[in-house]
Amino acid sequence: MDVNEILRHVDHTLLSQTAVWEEIRQICDDAVSYHTASVCIPPSFVRQACDYLNGKAAVCTVVGFPNGYTTTAAKEFETKDAIKNGASEIDMVINIGWLKDGKYDLIENEIRTLKEACGENILKVIIETCLLTDEEKVKMCQIVTEAGADYIKTSTGFAGGGATFEDVKLFSEHVGPDVKIKAAGGISSLEDAEKFLELGADRLGTSRIVKLVKDMK
């Protein structure tokens, strides 16, 4: 697969707690130079990044991140605030405790609420696969499909595990036809990135792929 094709699927990501504007500005510049799908950055930088980019790249941010156990009302506010500040893509974290408790209706309602808050903007649902059983992953494929989200996403990268080939394959077998897949966390080589795309991922959340391409040059 052509390197430029891989880059078009990358959400160029910086979500470190210590991230400063100079680092955010740099990944914004990289996103423009390498034509990535978006930059994925902390909510507090969204307005500044959108003003800086002026439409040259899409800005993605996170909601309920990284633990997912804030209330639906709090996540809804975060989503609306991010959209108001210029974000065009939202990556939300589910309430994993609700999933473990079998409170599927609450999870589906929350996703629907955030999708409504997004409007025409993209909503990705992070289910944190490293904390789930395969049965729970399949259930979340069903819930995400029913709730009308745009993507199901593997991981935050903050819970001790990231994307695996097995999980992306599992997603591709169980999500509805209108739901895309984002693999995120630990994607560290172009070979792995290509394999994730071949298995059915449409987006790759990673901080490393652009760095690898820059080093190649």
Side-chain angles (χ1 to χ4, degrees), residues 137-138 140-145 150-153 167-181 200:
K137 295 168 195 174
V138 170
M140 281 309 308
C141 287
Q142 297 168 354
I143 292 172
V144 170
T145 300
D150 301 285
Y151 282 80
I152 186 168
K153 176 179 170 182
D167 284 337
V168 169
K169 184 173 184 295
L170 187 72
F171 284 1
S172 68
E173 293 168 351
H174 290 94
V175 292
D178 296 327
V179 179
K180 296 177 182 179
I181 297 167

Side-chain angles (χ1 to χ4, degrees), residues 45-61:
F45 289 106
V46 166
R47 185 184 293 275
Q48 190 173 6
C50 288
D51 288 346
Y52 178 74
L53 284 164
N54 194 28
K56 295 176 184 176
V59 174
C60 171
T61 195

Side-chain angles (χ1 to χ4, degrees), residues 17-32:
Q17 298 96 320
T18 59
V20 297
W21 169 246
E22 181 57 29
E23 294 169 308
I24 300 292
R25 185 196 61 76
Q26 182 60 60
I27 73 162
C28 288
D29 289 343
D30 289 342
V32 174

Side-chain angles (χ1 to χ4, degrees), residues 6-12 36-39 58 60 88-89 91 122 124 151-154 168 180-184 187 193 196-197 200-206:
I6 293 173
L7 288 166
R8 282 192 286 271
H9 293 275
V10 167
D11 287 343
H12 191 25
T36 64
S38 77
V39 290
C60 171
S88 57
E89 304 190 8
D91 289 17
I122 290 172
K124 310 189 198 96
Y151 282 80
I152 186 168
K153 176 179 170 182
T154 59
V168 169
K180 296 177 182 179
I181 297 167
K182 177 174 174 179
I187 303 173
F196 277 120
L197 293 172
D202 179 76
R203 290 288 185 92
L204 306 172
T206 174

Side-chain angles (χ1 to χ4, degrees), residues 109-165:
N109 178 68
E110 180 168 274
I111 297 170
R112 287 182 185 277
T113 298
L114 269 59
K115 181 55 188 171
E116 184 176 349
C118 282
E120 295 300 312
N121 298 291
I122 290 172
L123 178 66
K124 310 189 198 96
V125 180
I126 308 171
I127 72 168
E128 205 68 280
T129 48
C130 66
L131 303 180
L132 307 183
T133 65
D134 282 352
E135 183 180 2
E136 289 166 339
K137 295 168 195 174
V138 170
K139 185 64 181 177
M140 281 309 308
C141 287
Q142 297 168 354
I143 292 172
V144 170
T145 300
E146 288 297 319
D150 301 285
Y151 282 80
I152 186 168
K153 176 179 170 182
T154 59
S155 320
T156 63
F158 282 71
T164 67
F165 300 138

